[in-house]
Amino acid sequence: MNRQTTKLALLLIVAAFGSHPAVAQTYQPSDSNLKARQWFQDAKFGMFIHWGVYSVPGRGEWVMENEKIPITEYEKFAPQFNPTQFSAADIVSLAKAAGMKYITITSKHHDGFAMFATRQNKWNIVDATPYGKDPLKQLAEECRKQGIKLFFYHSQLDWHNPDYFPLGRTGHSAGRPEGGDFNRYLEFMNAQLAELLANYGDVAGIWFDGMWDKPEADWQLQRTYSLIHKLQPAALIGSNHHHAPFDGEDFQMFEKDLPGSNTAGFNQTSISQLPLETCETVNGAWGYNKNDKNFKSVTDLIHYLVRAAGANANFLLNIGPMPSGKVQPEFVERLGAMGQWMQKNGDTIYGTRGGPITPRSWGVSTQKGGDIFLHVLDWKDEYLALPDLPGITGAHLFGSNTALELKTLAGGLLLRLPPASRDPIDTIVVLERAK
Ligand code: H79
């Protein structure tokens, strides 16, 4: 055993036999974890990266399942995956310039392919591709340099590992043996997680996905979660299982919906008291899809970010790098424009929480310290009626001294927004309170 594996083995032993037995118990987050939750809620904007061997065919990260590609065929993409143009410095700089405070990258997606130097199997970027390097290592180092936090997305669902058995809703055309030991699969997954938590410095959190594939299985979540919290107590655990958070989780995420909406069809879940996050794509794809040119506009993306903040949630915006390692120009342009907007208006987003006016069709409110920010996104009339808010003494446009007319009526407030005060993307109004 070399030093790294020895350290890992020790960590695994400590995690398995330490003071916290691997049985269900009520999770008590550490002080560092509670602090990390605050940081997370203040950060508001992150970059999601879906990157794997599926970028080679360029038809999204579900290509194996959607096109019923058996493992033997799918594995042939690996020798073609040589992302020599990948630059961790460029990607972290892109996130930073967009105003993003953290990155969440796929360490393993449903195809089971590890984007890091795992010792648990050979189905990984170091052992199975001509590239032969560990992009997550490069990214972790660069994130540390540039002050960006790093989360790992780890798929619990696995279309490649023979021990992921019995199969769930997906993976039936992978051509796998009719057998396997699910407990051994969980050992494998936990060992990969232990590698990620031991070898990449401080990990901001683990973003799980895919439990919905086998909702009835015994995932031994407490074992996995206590392993993570033991190795890095501040690491935030979240899982995209479409249920209210389970014991041991530190944040709640929503996919392709703001908390409380359900356009995707699987977001009926109640909203918990944990920090919230919603994720969305720039076009329709998570993993690189060369045919999807249906890009959202800068305005739409900013609106989603603002509406997320108004719903007390972070926005995790996805990019799917190309097989070369480069990010397509359509993504770079949009992220740059969002960054410019955030540079001007970020004070009304970063460090805020959802405001006293719950989300409306016209926009949202955020708040920080004593300030309330109205984000008027979609309102054509000169007057906007607001609910009664005690203690409001006046209003002005954010970033200027222009006072706005605000009338107190019985039962509410009436705000006047003359056409000249309007911003085409977001008219931000500061509601003044007696201090
Ligand atoms: O990683 C990205 C996607 O690949 C992954 N999550 C994001 C972040 C994702 N996988 N699936 N989905 C998103 C939507 C899944 C829908 C379905 Fe089902 C899976 C339809 C049928 C199986 C879940 C279970 C919803 C209905 C039943």
mmCIF file of all heavy atoms in Angstrom, residues 48-54 60-63 74 105-116 123 153-160 185 192 207 209-210 212 240 255 286-287 318:
data_model
loop_
_atom_site.group_PDB
_atom_site.id
_atom_site.type_symbol
_atom_site.label_atom_id
_atom_site.label_comp_id
_atom_site.label_asym_id
_atom_site.label_seq_id
_atom_site.Cartn_x
_atom_site.Cartn_y
_atom_site.Cartn_z
ATOM 1 N N PHE A 48 -22.823 24.319 -12.118
ATOM 2 C CA PHE A 48 -22.964 22.867 -12.214
ATOM 3 C C PHE A 48 -22.169 22.430 -13.438
ATOM 4 O O PHE A 48 -22.240 23.090 -14.483
ATOM 5 C CB PHE A 48 -24.454 22.536 -12.428
ATOM 6 C CG PHE A 48 -24.925 21.250 -11.804
ATOM 7 C CD1 PHE A 48 -26.294 20.947 -11.789
ATOM 8 C CD2 PHE A 48 -24.055 20.345 -11.223
ATOM 9 C CE1 PHE A 48 -26.771 19.773 -11.207
ATOM 10 C CE2 PHE A 48 -24.520 19.166 -10.644
ATOM 11 C CZ PHE A 48 -25.885 18.882 -10.641
ATOM 12 N N ILE A 49 -21.396 21.375 -13.316
ATOM 13 C CA ILE A 49 -20.664 20.868 -14.486
ATOM 14 C C ILE A 49 -20.997 19.393 -14.666
ATOM 15 O O ILE A 49 -20.709 18.579 -13.787
ATOM 16 C CB ILE A 49 -19.136 21.038 -14.330
ATOM 17 C CG1 ILE A 49 -18.767 22.505 -14.074
ATOM 18 C CG2 ILE A 49 -18.422 20.528 -15.581
ATOM 19 C CD1 ILE A 49 -17.259 22.755 -13.912
ATOM 20 N N HIS A 50 -21.624 19.064 -15.790
ATOM 21 C CA HIS A 50 -21.854 17.674 -16.177
ATOM 22 C C HIS A 50 -20.831 17.320 -17.246
ATOM 23 O O HIS A 50 -20.898 17.812 -18.369
ATOM 24 C CB HIS A 50 -23.265 17.481 -16.727
ATOM 25 C CG HIS A 50 -24.282 17.242 -15.666
ATOM 26 N ND1 HIS A 50 -24.699 18.222 -14.802
ATOM 27 C CD2 HIS A 50 -24.968 16.108 -15.306
ATOM 28 C CE1 HIS A 50 -25.598 17.717 -13.966
ATOM 29 N NE2 HIS A 50 -25.786 16.439 -14.244
ATOM 30 N N TRP A 51 -19.904 16.487 -16.841
ATOM 31 C CA TRP A 51 -18.848 16.147 -17.800
ATOM 32 C C TRP A 51 -18.459 14.692 -17.603
ATOM 33 O O TRP A 51 -18.259 14.230 -16.472
ATOM 34 C CB TRP A 51 -17.638 17.063 -17.591
ATOM 35 C CG TRP A 51 -16.700 17.067 -18.743
ATOM 36 C CD1 TRP A 51 -17.015 16.926 -20.074
ATOM 37 C CD2 TRP A 51 -15.283 17.232 -18.678
ATOM 38 N NE1 TRP A 51 -15.877 17.014 -20.835
ATOM 39 C CE2 TRP A 51 -14.797 17.199 -20.005
ATOM 40 C CE3 TRP A 51 -14.372 17.419 -17.640
ATOM 41 C CZ2 TRP A 51 -13.441 17.331 -20.321
ATOM 42 C CZ3 TRP A 51 -13.024 17.552 -17.954
ATOM 43 C CH2 TRP A 51 -12.568 17.512 -19.279
ATOM 44 N N GLY A 52 -18.401 13.977 -18.700
ATOM 45 C CA GLY A 52 -18.040 12.570 -18.632
ATOM 46 C C GLY A 52 -17.778 12.061 -20.029
ATOM 47 O O GLY A 52 -17.740 12.827 -21.002
ATOM 48 N N VAL A 53 -17.662 10.747 -20.132
ATOM 49 C CA VAL A 53 -17.330 10.107 -21.404
ATOM 50 C C VAL A 53 -18.477 10.300 -22.414
ATOM 51 O O VAL A 53 -18.273 10.255 -23.624
ATOM 52 C CB VAL A 53 -16.969 8.622 -21.138
ATOM 53 C CG1 VAL A 53 -18.203 7.809 -20.808
ATOM 54 C CG2 VAL A 53 -16.206 8.013 -22.279
ATOM 55 N N TYR A 54 -19.684 10.606 -21.882
ATOM 56 C CA TYR A 54 -20.845 10.865 -22.762
ATOM 57 C C TYR A 54 -20.678 12.137 -23.592
ATOM 58 O O TYR A 54 -21.430 12.378 -24.528
ATOM 59 C CB TYR A 54 -22.145 10.946 -21.934
ATOM 60 C CG TYR A 54 -22.010 11.756 -20.659
ATOM 61 C CD1 TYR A 54 -21.971 13.147 -20.687
ATOM 62 C CD2 TYR A 54 -21.885 11.123 -19.417
ATOM 63 C CE1 TYR A 54 -21.812 13.893 -19.520
ATOM 64 C CE2 TYR A 54 -21.720 11.853 -18.245
ATOM 65 C CZ TYR A 54 -21.688 13.232 -18.305
ATOM 66 O OH TYR A 54 -21.529 13.961 -17.153
ATOM 67 N N GLY A 60 -25.975 14.244 -24.893
ATOM 68 C CA GLY A 60 -26.477 14.322 -23.520
ATOM 69 C C GLY A 60 -25.998 13.180 -22.653
ATOM 70 O O GLY A 60 -25.497 12.159 -23.141
ATOM 71 N N GLU A 61 -26.141 13.340 -21.320
ATOM 72 C CA GLU A 61 -25.577 12.376 -20.366
ATOM 73 C C GLU A 61 -26.412 11.107 -20.218
ATOM 74 O O GLU A 61 -25.965 10.145 -19.619
ATOM 75 C CB GLU A 61 -25.371 13.065 -18.999
ATOM 76 C CG GLU A 61 -26.630 13.231 -18.153
ATOM 77 C CD GLU A 61 -27.608 14.259 -18.682
ATOM 78 O OE1 GLU A 61 -27.294 14.960 -19.663
ATOM 79 O OE2 GLU A 61 -28.728 14.348 -18.126
ATOM 80 N N TRP A 62 -27.607 11.101 -20.814
ATOM 81 C CA TRP A 62 -28.461 9.906 -20.760
ATOM 82 C C TRP A 62 -28.354 9.064 -22.035
ATOM 83 O O TRP A 62 -29.179 8.189 -22.262
ATOM 84 C CB TRP A 62 -29.925 10.320 -20.522
ATOM 85 C CG TRP A 62 -30.285 10.398 -19.075
ATOM 86 C CD1 TRP A 62 -29.760 11.257 -18.154
ATOM 87 C CD2 TRP A 62 -31.244 9.582 -18.367
ATOM 88 N NE1 TRP A 62 -30.334 11.041 -16.905
ATOM 89 C CE2 TRP A 62 -31.243 10.020 -17.018
ATOM 90 C CE3 TRP A 62 -32.094 8.545 -18.727
ATOM 91 C CZ2 TRP A 62 -32.059 9.447 -16.035
ATOM 92 C CZ3 TRP A 62 -32.912 7.972 -17.766
ATOM 93 C CH2 TRP A 62 -32.882 8.427 -16.424
ATOM 94 N N VAL A 63 -27.359 9.334 -22.880
ATOM 95 C CA VAL A 63 -27.305 8.696 -24.201
ATOM 96 C C VAL A 63 -27.283 7.170 -24.093
ATOM 97 O O VAL A 63 -27.930 6.467 -24.877
ATOM 98 C CB VAL A 63 -26.094 9.233 -25.020
ATOM 99 C CG1 VAL A 63 -24.774 8.885 -24.363
ATOM 100 C CG2 VAL A 63 -26.143 8.744 -26.454
ATOM 101 N N TYR A 74 -20.715 1.025 -25.251
ATOM 102 C CA TYR A 74 -20.534 2.323 -24.578
ATOM 103 C C TYR A 74 -19.080 2.521 -24.156
ATOM 104 O O TYR A 74 -18.547 3.634 -24.232
ATOM 105 C CB TYR A 74 -21.475 2.400 -23.369
ATOM 106 C CG TYR A 74 -21.583 3.788 -22.768
ATOM 107 C CD1 TYR A 74 -22.424 4.754 -23.312
ATOM 108 C CD2 TYR A 74 -20.827 4.136 -21.638
ATOM 109 C CE1 TYR A 74 -22.520 6.031 -22.756
ATOM 110 C CE2 TYR A 74 -20.917 5.407 -21.075
ATOM 111 C CZ TYR A 74 -21.764 6.345 -21.635
ATOM 112 O OH TYR A 74 -21.852 7.612 -21.086
ATOM 113 N N ILE A 105 -19.356 19.474 -9.610
ATOM 114 C CA ILE A 105 -19.005 18.723 -10.824
ATOM 115 C C ILE A 105 -19.278 17.243 -10.637
ATOM 116 O O ILE A 105 -19.158 16.701 -9.527
ATOM 117 C CB ILE A 105 -17.518 18.957 -11.224
ATOM 118 C CG1 ILE A 105 -17.224 18.307 -12.589
ATOM 119 C CG2 ILE A 105 -16.553 18.462 -10.149
ATOM 120 C CD1 ILE A 105 -15.930 18.752 -13.240
ATOM 121 N N THR A 106 -19.647 16.580 -11.735
ATOM 122 C CA THR A 106 -19.923 15.146 -11.711
ATOM 123 C C THR A 106 -18.626 14.365 -11.480
ATOM 124 O O THR A 106 -17.756 14.338 -12.346
ATOM 125 C CB THR A 106 -20.527 14.705 -13.061
ATOM 126 O OG1 THR A 106 -19.736 15.288 -14.122
ATOM 127 C CG2 THR A 106 -21.962 15.171 -13.206
ATOM 128 N N SER A 107 -18.526 13.736 -10.307
ATOM 129 C CA SER A 107 -17.422 12.799 -10.091
ATOM 130 C C SER A 107 -17.781 11.451 -10.721
ATOM 131 O O SER A 107 -16.914 10.709 -11.178
ATOM 132 C CB SER A 107 -17.133 12.631 -8.597
ATOM 133 O OG SER A 107 -18.326 12.505 -7.850
ATOM 134 N N LYS A 108 -19.081 11.141 -10.755
ATOM 135 C CA LYS A 108 -19.578 9.936 -11.436
ATOM 136 C C LYS A 108 -21.033 10.189 -11.786
ATOM 137 O O LYS A 108 -21.800 10.590 -10.917
ATOM 138 C CB LYS A 108 -19.461 8.708 -10.515
ATOM 139 C CG LYS A 108 -19.927 7.411 -11.182
ATOM 140 C CD LYS A 108 -20.015 6.233 -10.204
ATOM 141 C CE LYS A 108 -21.352 6.199 -9.490
ATOM 142 N NZ LYS A 108 -21.692 4.865 -8.924
ATOM 143 N N HIS A 109 -21.398 9.963 -13.048
ATOM 144 C CA HIS A 109 -22.824 10.062 -13.412
ATOM 145 C C HIS A 109 -23.416 8.659 -13.525
ATOM 146 O O HIS A 109 -22.788 7.681 -13.123
ATOM 147 C CB HIS A 109 -23.010 10.903 -14.696
ATOM 148 C CG HIS A 109 -24.363 11.531 -14.769
ATOM 149 N ND1 HIS A 109 -25.414 10.936 -15.450
ATOM 150 C CD2 HIS A 109 -24.876 12.643 -14.200
ATOM 151 C CE1 HIS A 109 -26.502 11.697 -15.295
ATOM 152 N NE2 HIS A 109 -26.199 12.739 -14.542
ATOM 153 N N HIS A 110 -24.652 8.576 -14.042
ATOM 154 C CA HIS A 110 -25.355 7.287 -14.046
ATOM 155 C C HIS A 110 -24.601 6.212 -14.843
ATOM 156 O O HIS A 110 -24.779 5.018 -14.605
ATOM 157 C CB HIS A 110 -26.771 7.435 -14.618
ATOM 158 C CG HIS A 110 -27.594 8.518 -13.979
ATOM 159 N ND1 HIS A 110 -27.384 8.957 -12.696
ATOM 160 C CD2 HIS A 110 -28.648 9.240 -14.458
ATOM 161 C CE1 HIS A 110 -28.263 9.917 -12.414
ATOM 162 N NE2 HIS A 110 -29.026 10.108 -13.473
ATOM 163 N N ASP A 111 -23.780 6.621 -15.812
ATOM 164 C CA ASP A 111 -23.015 5.645 -16.608
ATOM 165 C C ASP A 111 -21.857 5.037 -15.823
ATOM 166 O O ASP A 111 -21.110 4.216 -16.376
ATOM 167 C CB ASP A 111 -22.505 6.294 -17.908
ATOM 168 C CG ASP A 111 -21.506 7.421 -17.648
ATOM 169 O OD1 ASP A 111 -21.244 7.740 -16.468
ATOM 170 O OD2 ASP A 111 -20.989 7.993 -18.633
ATOM 171 N N GLY A 112 -21.699 5.456 -14.568
ATOM 172 C CA GLY A 112 -20.708 4.831 -13.687
ATOM 173 C C GLY A 112 -19.281 5.282 -13.926
ATOM 174 O O GLY A 112 -18.379 4.875 -13.188
ATOM 175 N N PHE A 113 -19.084 6.112 -14.954
ATOM 176 C CA PHE A 113 -17.718 6.507 -15.335
ATOM 177 C C PHE A 113 -17.183 7.550 -14.358
ATOM 178 O O PHE A 113 -17.777 8.621 -14.203
ATOM 179 C CB PHE A 113 -17.716 7.059 -16.763
ATOM 180 C CG PHE A 113 -16.348 7.368 -17.295
ATOM 181 C CD1 PHE A 113 -15.539 6.354 -17.778
ATOM 182 C CD2 PHE A 113 -15.878 8.669 -17.311
ATOM 183 C CE1 PHE A 113 -14.271 6.636 -18.274
ATOM 184 C CE2 PHE A 113 -14.607 8.966 -17.801
ATOM 185 C CZ PHE A 113 -13.804 7.945 -18.284
ATOM 186 N N ALA A 114 -16.061 7.245 -13.703
ATOM 187 C CA ALA A 114 -15.499 8.162 -12.709
ATOM 188 C C ALA A 114 -14.586 9.163 -13.397
ATOM 189 O O ALA A 114 -13.710 8.789 -14.182
ATOM 190 C CB ALA A 114 -14.729 7.387 -11.645
ATOM 191 N N MET A 115 -14.792 10.428 -13.084
ATOM 192 C CA MET A 115 -13.974 11.496 -13.672
ATOM 193 C C MET A 115 -12.776 11.800 -12.781
ATOM 194 O O MET A 115 -12.227 12.892 -12.822
ATOM 195 C CB MET A 115 -14.829 12.747 -13.876
ATOM 196 C CG MET A 115 -15.794 12.633 -15.041
ATOM 197 S SD MET A 115 -14.926 12.517 -16.625
ATOM 198 C CE MET A 115 -14.480 14.247 -16.877
ATOM 199 N N PHE A 116 -12.389 10.822 -11.960
ATOM 200 C CA PHE A 116 -11.259 11.037 -11.056
ATOM 201 C C PHE A 116 -10.475 9.733 -10.913
ATOM 202 O O PHE A 116 -10.918 8.676 -11.364
ATOM 203 C CB PHE A 116 -11.754 11.540 -9.691
ATOM 204 C CG PHE A 116 -12.588 10.554 -8.921
ATOM 205 C CD1 PHE A 116 -12.054 9.874 -7.827
ATOM 206 C CD2 PHE A 116 -13.905 10.291 -9.275
ATOM 207 C CE1 PHE A 116 -12.815 8.966 -7.106
ATOM 208 C CE2 PHE A 116 -14.681 9.375 -8.560
ATOM 209 C CZ PHE A 116 -14.129 8.720 -7.478
ATOM 210 N N TRP A 123 -12.927 1.800 -14.643
ATOM 211 C CA TRP A 123 -13.869 2.588 -15.456
ATOM 212 C C TRP A 123 -13.785 4.057 -15.019
ATOM 213 O O TRP A 123 -14.697 4.595 -14.396
ATOM 214 C CB TRP A 123 -15.271 1.993 -15.308
ATOM 215 C CG TRP A 123 -16.372 2.579 -16.155
ATOM 216 C CD1 TRP A 123 -17.608 2.930 -15.723
ATOM 217 C CD2 TRP A 123 -16.364 2.839 -17.563
ATOM 218 N NE1 TRP A 123 -18.375 3.404 -16.756
ATOM 219 C CE2 TRP A 123 -17.621 3.364 -17.907
ATOM 220 C CE3 TRP A 123 -15.408 2.706 -18.587
ATOM 221 C CZ2 TRP A 123 -17.974 3.745 -19.205
ATOM 222 C CZ3 TRP A 123 -15.748 3.084 -19.889
ATOM 223 C CH2 TRP A 123 -17.003 3.589 -20.176
ATOM 224 N N TYR A 153 -20.860 15.926 -7.483
ATOM 225 C CA TYR A 153 -22.108 15.236 -7.815
ATOM 226 C C TYR A 153 -21.758 13.763 -7.925
ATOM 227 O O TYR A 153 -20.884 13.387 -8.722
ATOM 228 C CB TYR A 153 -22.649 15.765 -9.153
ATOM 229 C CG TYR A 153 -23.746 14.932 -9.788
ATOM 230 C CD1 TYR A 153 -25.046 15.424 -9.885
ATOM 231 C CD2 TYR A 153 -23.485 13.667 -10.318
ATOM 232 C CE1 TYR A 153 -26.061 14.672 -10.480
ATOM 233 C CE2 TYR A 153 -24.488 12.906 -10.906
ATOM 234 C CZ TYR A 153 -25.764 13.408 -10.992
ATOM 235 O OH TYR A 153 -26.751 12.660 -11.580
ATOM 236 N N HIS A 154 -22.395 12.914 -7.158
ATOM 237 C CA HIS A 154 -22.090 11.489 -7.260
ATOM 238 C C HIS A 154 -23.386 10.709 -7.459
ATOM 239 O O HIS A 154 -24.297 10.765 -6.637
ATOM 240 C CB HIS A 154 -21.345 11.009 -6.016
ATOM 241 C CG HIS A 154 -20.387 9.890 -6.313
ATOM 242 N ND1 HIS A 154 -19.214 10.064 -7.026
ATOM 243 C CD2 HIS A 154 -20.446 8.571 -6.027
ATOM 244 C CE1 HIS A 154 -18.590 8.903 -7.151
ATOM 245 N NE2 HIS A 154 -19.308 7.981 -6.552
ATOM 246 N N SER A 155 -23.451 9.979 -8.573
ATOM 247 C CA SER A 155 -24.664 9.219 -8.877
ATOM 248 C C SER A 155 -24.707 7.929 -8.066
ATOM 249 O O SER A 155 -23.756 7.142 -8.084
ATOM 250 C CB SER A 155 -24.729 8.883 -10.367
ATOM 251 O OG SER A 155 -25.844 8.042 -10.617
ATOM 252 N N GLN A 156 -25.819 7.738 -7.376
ATOM 253 C CA GLN A 156 -26.015 6.464 -6.669
ATOM 254 C C GLN A 156 -26.426 5.380 -7.659
ATOM 255 O O GLN A 156 -26.049 4.228 -7.533
ATOM 256 C CB GLN A 156 -27.073 6.654 -5.578
ATOM 257 C CG GLN A 156 -26.595 7.552 -4.443
ATOM 258 C CD GLN A 156 -27.730 8.174 -3.667
ATOM 259 O OE1 GLN A 156 -28.547 8.912 -4.228
ATOM 260 N NE2 GLN A 156 -27.819 7.884 -2.380
ATOM 261 N N LEU A 157 -27.212 5.795 -8.635
ATOM 262 C CA LEU A 157 -27.564 4.896 -9.747
ATOM 263 C C LEU A 157 -26.310 4.621 -10.570
ATOM 264 O O LEU A 157 -25.504 5.516 -10.794
ATOM 265 C CB LEU A 157 -28.632 5.595 -10.600
ATOM 266 C CG LEU A 157 -28.878 5.102 -12.030
ATOM 267 C CD1 LEU A 157 -29.329 3.656 -12.043
ATOM 268 C CD2 LEU A 157 -29.928 5.990 -12.705
ATOM 269 N N ASP A 158 -26.131 3.377 -11.009
ATOM 270 C CA ASP A 158 -24.940 3.023 -11.780
ATOM 271 C C ASP A 158 -25.308 1.986 -12.839
ATOM 272 O O ASP A 158 -25.647 0.846 -12.506
ATOM 273 C CB ASP A 158 -23.864 2.480 -10.812
ATOM 274 C CG ASP A 158 -22.477 2.416 -11.430
ATOM 275 O OD1 ASP A 158 -22.363 1.913 -12.574
ATOM 276 O OD2 ASP A 158 -21.509 2.869 -10.785
ATOM 277 N N TRP A 159 -25.230 2.381 -14.113
ATOM 278 C CA TRP A 159 -25.575 1.480 -15.228
ATOM 279 C C TRP A 159 -24.427 0.549 -15.602
ATOM 280 O O TRP A 159 -24.563 -0.275 -16.514
ATOM 281 C CB TRP A 159 -25.954 2.310 -16.477
ATOM 282 C CG TRP A 159 -27.190 3.136 -16.326
ATOM 283 C CD1 TRP A 159 -28.313 2.809 -15.617
ATOM 284 C CD2 TRP A 159 -27.442 4.423 -16.906
ATOM 285 N NE1 TRP A 159 -29.239 3.826 -15.717
ATOM 286 C CE2 TRP A 159 -28.729 4.829 -16.503
ATOM 287 C CE3 TRP A 159 -26.702 5.285 -17.733
ATOM 288 C CZ2 TRP A 159 -29.306 6.042 -16.893
ATOM 289 C CZ3 TRP A 159 -27.267 6.492 -18.119
ATOM 290 C CH2 TRP A 159 -28.551 6.862 -17.705
ATOM 291 N N HIS A 160 -23.288 0.707 -14.942
ATOM 292 C CA HIS A 160 -22.088 -0.019 -15.370
ATOM 293 C C HIS A 160 -21.633 -1.056 -14.348
ATOM 294 O O HIS A 160 -21.188 -2.149 -14.718
ATOM 295 C CB HIS A 160 -20.968 0.993 -15.640
ATOM 296 C CG HIS A 160 -19.743 0.413 -16.276
ATOM 297 N ND1 HIS A 160 -18.754 -0.213 -15.553
ATOM 298 C CD2 HIS A 160 -19.344 0.367 -17.571
ATOM 299 C CE1 HIS A 160 -17.812 -0.622 -16.381
ATOM 300 N NE2 HIS A 160 -18.136 -0.283 -17.605
ATOM 301 N N TYR A 185 -22.034 -3.279 -3.936
ATOM 302 C CA TYR A 185 -22.097 -2.021 -4.700
ATOM 303 C C TYR A 185 -21.991 -0.815 -3.762
ATOM 304 O O TYR A 185 -21.248 0.139 -4.024
ATOM 305 C CB TYR A 185 -23.385 -1.929 -5.545
ATOM 306 C CG TYR A 185 -23.532 -0.535 -6.111
ATOM 307 C CD1 TYR A 185 -22.713 -0.110 -7.159
ATOM 308 C CD2 TYR A 185 -24.420 0.387 -5.552
ATOM 309 C CE1 TYR A 185 -22.783 1.197 -7.640
ATOM 310 C CE2 TYR A 185 -24.499 1.690 -6.019
ATOM 311 C CZ TYR A 185 -23.674 2.085 -7.070
ATOM 312 O OH TYR A 185 -23.730 3.377 -7.525
ATOM 313 N N GLN A 192 -15.476 4.960 -3.074
ATOM 314 C CA GLN A 192 -15.220 6.088 -3.993
ATOM 315 C C GLN A 192 -15.421 7.425 -3.277
ATOM 316 O O GLN A 192 -14.636 8.360 -3.438
ATOM 317 C CB GLN A 192 -16.161 6.017 -5.204
ATOM 318 C CG GLN A 192 -15.716 5.004 -6.249
ATOM 319 C CD GLN A 192 -16.360 5.271 -7.607
ATOM 320 O OE1 GLN A 192 -17.485 5.773 -7.689
ATOM 321 N NE2 GLN A 192 -15.663 4.908 -8.670
ATOM 322 N N TRP A 207 -23.367 15.957 -3.719
ATOM 323 C CA TRP A 207 -24.679 16.154 -4.363
ATOM 324 C C TRP A 207 -25.078 14.793 -4.935
ATOM 325 O O TRP A 207 -24.558 14.393 -5.986
ATOM 326 C CB TRP A 207 -24.500 17.170 -5.469
ATOM 327 C CG TRP A 207 -25.614 18.033 -5.919
ATOM 328 C CD1 TRP A 207 -25.739 19.364 -5.666
ATOM 329 C CD2 TRP A 207 -26.717 17.698 -6.810
ATOM 330 N NE1 TRP A 207 -26.849 19.868 -6.323
ATOM 331 C CE2 TRP A 207 -27.461 18.876 -7.016
ATOM 332 C CE3 TRP A 207 -27.139 16.515 -7.431
ATOM 333 C CZ2 TRP A 207 -28.600 18.919 -7.822
ATOM 334 C CZ3 TRP A 207 -28.278 16.553 -8.223
ATOM 335 C CH2 TRP A 207 -28.994 17.748 -8.408
ATOM 336 N N ASP A 209 -27.557 11.855 -6.565
ATOM 337 C CA ASP A 209 -28.646 11.763 -7.536
ATOM 338 C C ASP A 209 -28.833 10.290 -7.889
ATOM 339 O O ASP A 209 -27.882 9.516 -7.855
ATOM 340 C CB ASP A 209 -28.277 12.571 -8.798
ATOM 341 C CG ASP A 209 -29.475 12.878 -9.690
ATOM 342 O OD1 ASP A 209 -30.626 12.533 -9.321
ATOM 343 O OD2 ASP A 209 -29.264 13.473 -10.769
ATOM 344 N N GLY A 210 -30.067 9.926 -8.217
ATOM 345 C CA GLY A 210 -30.312 8.603 -8.776
ATOM 346 C C GLY A 210 -30.967 7.603 -7.843
ATOM 347 O O GLY A 210 -31.307 6.496 -8.263
ATOM 348 N N TRP A 212 -33.827 7.692 -6.883
ATOM 349 C CA TRP A 212 -35.182 7.495 -7.410
ATOM 350 C C TRP A 212 -35.264 6.291 -8.345
ATOM 351 O O TRP A 212 -36.343 5.817 -8.655
ATOM 352 C CB TRP A 212 -35.675 8.763 -8.139
ATOM 353 C CG TRP A 212 -34.621 9.415 -8.992
ATOM 354 C CD1 TRP A 212 -33.895 10.522 -8.670
ATOM 355 C CD2 TRP A 212 -34.139 8.982 -10.271
ATOM 356 N NE1 TRP A 212 -32.992 10.819 -9.671
ATOM 357 C CE2 TRP A 212 -33.122 9.888 -10.669
ATOM 358 C CE3 TRP A 212 -34.454 7.924 -11.125
ATOM 359 C CZ2 TRP A 212 -32.424 9.764 -11.872
ATOM 360 C CZ3 TRP A 212 -33.754 7.802 -12.319
ATOM 361 C CH2 TRP A 212 -32.767 8.708 -12.681
ATOM 362 N N ASN A 240 -30.878 14.430 -4.597
ATOM 363 C CA ASN A 240 -31.939 14.757 -5.548
ATOM 364 C C ASN A 240 -32.931 13.590 -5.636
ATOM 365 O O ASN A 240 -33.181 13.065 -6.720
ATOM 366 C CB ASN A 240 -31.286 15.033 -6.913
ATOM 367 C CG ASN A 240 -32.244 15.581 -7.932
ATOM 368 O OD1 ASN A 240 -33.247 16.203 -7.582
ATOM 369 N ND2 ASN A 240 -31.950 15.348 -9.205
ATOM 370 N N GLU A 255 -34.723 20.128 -8.935
ATOM 371 C CA GLU A 255 -34.193 20.067 -10.301
ATOM 372 C C GLU A 255 -35.183 20.707 -11.257
ATOM 373 O O GLU A 255 -36.340 20.281 -11.331
ATOM 374 C CB GLU A 255 -33.933 18.601 -10.684
ATOM 375 C CG GLU A 255 -33.464 18.432 -12.129
ATOM 376 C CD GLU A 255 -33.191 16.978 -12.508
ATOM 377 O OE1 GLU A 255 -32.842 16.172 -11.619
ATOM 378 O OE2 GLU A 255 -33.346 16.658 -13.705
ATOM 379 N N TRP A 286 -27.906 18.508 -19.836
ATOM 380 C CA TRP A 286 -26.921 18.599 -18.743
ATOM 381 C C TRP A 286 -25.544 18.273 -19.314
ATOM 382 O O TRP A 286 -24.657 19.109 -19.325
ATOM 383 C CB TRP A 286 -27.291 17.637 -17.611
ATOM 384 C CG TRP A 286 -28.621 17.933 -16.977
ATOM 385 C CD1 TRP A 286 -29.807 17.309 -17.241
ATOM 386 C CD2 TRP A 286 -28.916 18.929 -15.980
ATOM 387 N NE1 TRP A 286 -30.812 17.867 -16.474
ATOM 388 C CE2 TRP A 286 -30.294 18.841 -15.694
ATOM 389 C CE3 TRP A 286 -28.146 19.866 -15.294
ATOM 390 C CZ2 TRP A 286 -30.915 19.675 -14.746
ATOM 391 C CZ3 TRP A 286 -28.758 20.687 -14.360
ATOM 392 C CH2 TRP A 286 -30.127 20.593 -14.095
ATOM 393 N N GLY A 287 -25.388 17.067 -19.835
ATOM 394 C CA GLY A 287 -24.142 16.714 -20.516
ATOM 395 C C GLY A 287 -24.154 17.318 -21.917
ATOM 396 O O GLY A 287 -25.228 17.550 -22.494
ATOM 397 N N ASN A 318 -26.010 25.037 -14.989
ATOM 398 C CA ASN A 318 -25.186 23.974 -15.562
ATOM 399 C C ASN A 318 -24.451 24.352 -16.839
ATOM 400 O O ASN A 318 -24.993 25.036 -17.705
ATOM 401 C CB ASN A 318 -26.079 22.774 -15.877
ATOM 402 C CG ASN A 318 -25.283 21.596 -16.415
ATOM 403 O OD1 ASN A 318 -24.558 20.953 -15.667
ATOM 404 N ND2 ASN A 318 -25.385 21.339 -17.717
#
